[in-house]
Amino acid sequence: DVLAGAALGACAAFAVRGMVPTRGQIVPPARARAEVPALEDGEGLVMVVNSASGSADRADALTDFLPGAEVVACQPADIQAELEKAAARARVLGVCGGDGTVNAAAQVALRRGLPLAVLPGGTLNHFAYDLGVEGPRDLSRAIKQGDAVRVDVGRFRSGATRGIFLNTLSLGVYPELVRERERWAPRIGGWPAGVLAALWVLRADRHPLVAELNGRTRPLWMLFAGNGTYHRMGIASGRRVDLADGRLDIRIVHGGRRPALRLLAAALAGPFSRSPVHASVQVHRLRLSGLAPGTLLAYDGEVTDVAGELTLEEQPEALTVYRPLTESLITHQSTS
């Protein structure tokens, strides 16, 4: 019985591993190594840390590997100013925090022409983890060896409002959910606030978004745009294998009754299915029009308002980031 139980457990473990691969099983395609400084002791790296994300310990651990690095801890209100000051004196701009903090750092790095070093320090850390940076050891190895690649950046603009997204951008249900969750979280806690927000935004016959797409005006429950293609891995949520494939991954859940069932059907059906309920397409550019004033847009965990016309565009290999590389992932620098 013991041997049979052990064998059954091992088989189940391998089955689950096949359906939900670990990041170590997902091998990204080879990319040309970008030209960046190799900082043996970290001198020239200025790491800005979002203290509110509770990531100070990770930044301190990084200095154990890179004693010459400068660490600047600050509150969220000071992040932008400290990033600008750090970029003025750094050879490499570093950031430690959640996806919203990383987004702010990427904007500064793009504007100043600096390579970016990302240390995960938030709740989800999608961008850092998709890069293969799990913690201080991974990042320090990449910085010491000068291992870096160029990755795509998604851009959006609507009138005077414009910005970038490294992970995802969405309209419709999700931005409203984020806004409601943030409104209730200080009073009842994050998880109960998320449940309450979901119940509020999924009320039947209430479409948070109406937009003109491909010459047709239609109600939408959600529009999702990924910076790069998000692949389904078994029953797991989507992950990106390649951060420089030059594509926006667009998913749309059309309006109609029973929004919860529509969203669930879209989640279960896979990334390339089409139906009257949902659709998926990969493009380099997308334009929406007819957005009502005050339409909420979420990007990398941040929320803003847009109105009228909204344009999304993929900017290929725009940002240089440090990434731990193995020999199988490195190609020779192209001569172009």
Side-chain angles (χ1 to χ4, degrees):
D1 289 344
V2 173
L3 291 175
L8 183 61
C11 290
F14 277 107
V16 172
R17 183 176 171 84
M19 289 188 296
V20 188
T22 63
R23 291 185 183 274
Q25 292 174 269
I26 304 172
V27 179
R31 290 292 179 187
R33 176 187 274 140
E35 290 289 343
V36 294
L39 309 179
E40 181 60 33
D41 67 349
E43 185 175 357
L45 167 66
V46 182
M47 174 72 62
V48 178
V49 181
N50 184 348
S51 300
S53 66
S55 53
D57 291 345
R58 287 201 163 195
D60 291 339
L62 183 68
T63 59
D64 293 338
F65 298 103
L66 301 171
E70 178 185 350
V71 174
V72 179
C74 58
Q75 293 299 311
D78 301 321
I79 289 289
Q80 191 64 45
E82 292 299 334
L83 285 169
E84 295 289 354
K85 289 190 287 186
R89 64 181 184 275
R91 296 180 67 193
V92 175
L93 180 62
V95 61
C96 181
D99 288 322
T101 305
V102 174
N103 182 292
Q107 293 187 57
V108 175
L110 285 166
R111 191 166 61 252
R112 298 293 189 102
L114 290 173
L116 184 66
V118 180
L119 180 62
T123 303
L124 299 176
N125 306 304
H126 291 300
F127 185 67
Y129 289 161
D130 286 344
L131 280 173
V133 178
E134 302 279 348
R137 187 181 299 274
D138 296 323
L139 182 59
S140 63
R141 185 173 76 248
I143 292 173
K144 287 181 178 182
Q145 296 177 356
D147 289 338
V149 293
R150 290 181 292 274
V151 300
D152 297 343
V153 173
R155 292 189 177 274
F156 68 89
R157 66 178 184 273
S158 176
T161 302
R162 55 193 62 211
I164 68 169
F165 57 102
L166 302 177
N167 300 302
T168 63
L169 174 149
S170 60
L171 298 161
V173 169
Y174 184 73
E176 293 213 352
L177 190 150
V178 171
R179 184 182 65 176
E180 290 301 310
R181 184 184 62 201
E182 291 179 348
R183 185 164 71 93
W184 287 100
R187 289 179 260 180
I188 63 176
W191 185 83
V195 173
L196 185 62
L199 292 173
W200 189 86
V201 301
L202 292 177
R203 290 180 299 174
D205 298 324
R206 181 183 177 280
H207 298 104
L209 175 65
V210 175
E212 182 181 325
L213 179 64
N214 294 330
R216 179 181 173 187
T217 300
R218 64 183 73 192
L220 305 173
W221 278 111
M222 184 179 71
L223 184 145
F224 164 97
N227 176 37
T229 304
Y230 279 74
H231 298 272
R232 286 185 67 88
M233 300 294 179
I235 60 174
S237 58
R239 296 173 182 170
R240 287 173 294 181
V241 176
D242 188 358
L243 291 174
D245 65 7
R247 300 170 182 171
L248 293 173
D249 189 359
I250 306 297
R251 318 283 178 87
I252 294 173
V253 180
H254 299 299
R257 296 184 61 84
R258 303 180 185 272
L261 291 178
R262 285 172 174 260
L263 293 170
L264 179 61
L268 294 177
F272 300 112
S273 61
R274 289 180 176 274
S275 81
V277 174
H278 50 86
S280 174
V281 66
Q282 294 175 347
V283 297
H284 302 291
R285 191 172 184 270
L286 182 72
R287 185 174 66 86
L288 298 168
S289 59
L291 297 175
T295 297
L296 296 181
L297 178 148
Y299 63 102
D300 292 350
E302 304 296 317
V303 179
T304 188
D305 292 351
V306 294
E309 184 172 294
L310 172 67
T311 300
L312 311 180
E313 192 167 11
E314 186 79 333
Q315 187 171 0
E317 299 188 5
L319 179 66
T320 300
V321 288
Y322 282 87
R323 174 182 190 173
L325 301 177
T326 61
E327 289 302 319
S328 62
L329 302 181
I330 301 172
T331 62
H332 294 293
Q333 181 76 28
S334 63
T335 57
S336 60

